[in-house]
Amino acid sequence: NAGVMQNPRHLVRRRGQEARLRCSPMKGHSHVYWYRQLPEEGLKFMVYLQKENIIDESGMPKERFSAEFPKEGPSILRIQQVVRGDSAAYFCASSPQAGANTGELFFGEGSRLTVL
Amino acid sequence: GEDVEQSLFLSVREGDSSVINCTYTDSSSTYLYWYKQEPGAGLQLLTYIFSNMDMKQDQRLTVLLNKKDKHLSLRIADTQTGDSAIYFCAERENTGFQKLVFGTGTRLLVSP
């Protein structure tokens, strides 16, 4: 039973380029979360999506960042015109339903973005 | 907004007990969690506690919750070198979905 799959694991971009990070949730999970971890910091919530819907994007920067979770295929976190401050580890997590009893999130191994 | 705080480092000897502390601010949190992150890896859920509990024990792990002081702790008995990692405390916002607020993490170093 595959866990949450993220790719790429490592991504290097120059300032001004675009970064696309992909996340396939665990089988049977229809809820996807994206978190960002800056160096030496904890994880910060970015966005929560269900299939074809953004439910809460209160943690997303207003510009350059977008996320989607289409009916078919993985969830995508897209960062346009990257800047050095976007360098971080981006973690995707999934859950089977919105208010699952334990509230456990299943995390992927993260995508580490480095902006030169 | 909600805030979760942890001490940054803890160093113990193998075989000793480790106690990692956490304070949180959202009194309406229903669940509180401890996650473990090994180098270069994602987060792994270690244990959780529901807000109406004071204590939860799971093998070598003991979680204590003091709701009055909004204080959570994780005790690891007989700490092993394999326990060296970053430990994150997290609270679940009262939103109806799994929106978690994480602390900055405590880096546990276990020496032989």
Side-chain angles (χ1 to χ4, degrees), chain A residues 1-6 23-29 92-94 106-109:
Chain A
N1 209 9
V4 177
M5 304 299 292
Q6 289 189 248
C23 169
S24 296
M26 281 184 73
K27 188 176 180 181
H29 289 191
C92 173
S94 70
F106 296 83
F107 281 86
E109 294 187 328

Side-chain angles (χ1 to χ4, degrees), chain A residues 9 33 35 58 98 101-103, chain B residues 31 33 35 40 48 98-100:
Chain A
R9 292 290 310 279
Y33 301 74
Y35 283 79
S58 57
N101 284 343
T102 65
Chain B
Y31 286 93
Y33 307 86
Y35 279 84
Y48 64 92
Q98 268 80 294
K99 186 175 179 181
L100 302 186

Side-chain angles (χ1 to χ4, degrees), chain A:
Chain A
N1 209 9
V4 177
M5 304 299 292
Q6 289 189 248
N7 70 83
R9 292 290 310 279
H10 299 275
L11 182 63
V12 179
R13 286 287 178 267
R14 294 189 181 281
R15 281 180 296 170
Q17 292 184 319
E18 179 180 287
R20 279 185 183 239
L21 310 177
R22 295 173 191 79
C23 169
S24 296
M26 281 184 73
K27 188 176 180 181
H29 289 191
S30 58
H31 300 256
V32 166
Y33 301 74
W34 285 93
Y35 283 79
R36 176 165 65 174
Q37 184 180 31
L38 294 170
E40 306 299 322
E41 292 189 14
L43 278 73
K44 303 291 186 194
F45 170 80
M46 297 182 76
V47 62
Y48 162 49
L49 310 104
Q50 296 176 24
K51 282 285 187 183
E52 300 185 277
N53 287 304
I54 295 174
I55 308 301
D56 184 328
E57 56 181 348
S58 57
M60 287 272 275
K62 294 288 185 282
E63 296 176 352
R64 302 187 298 107
F65 284 72
S66 62
E68 62 177 8
F69 189 16
K71 189 176 179 182
E72 302 290 337
S75 175
I76 306 283
L77 180 67
R78 182 182 178 209
I79 312 171
Q80 295 177 289
Q81 299 173 332
V82 296
V83 300
R84 288 215 174 103
D86 297 333
S87 295
Y90 293 83
F91 288 96
C92 173
S94 70
S95 70
Q97 60 195 49
N101 284 343
T102 65
E104 180 177 1
L105 287 179
F106 296 83
F107 281 86
E109 294 187 328
S111 291
R112 282 157 179 82
L113 172 65
T114 301
V115 180
L116 301 178

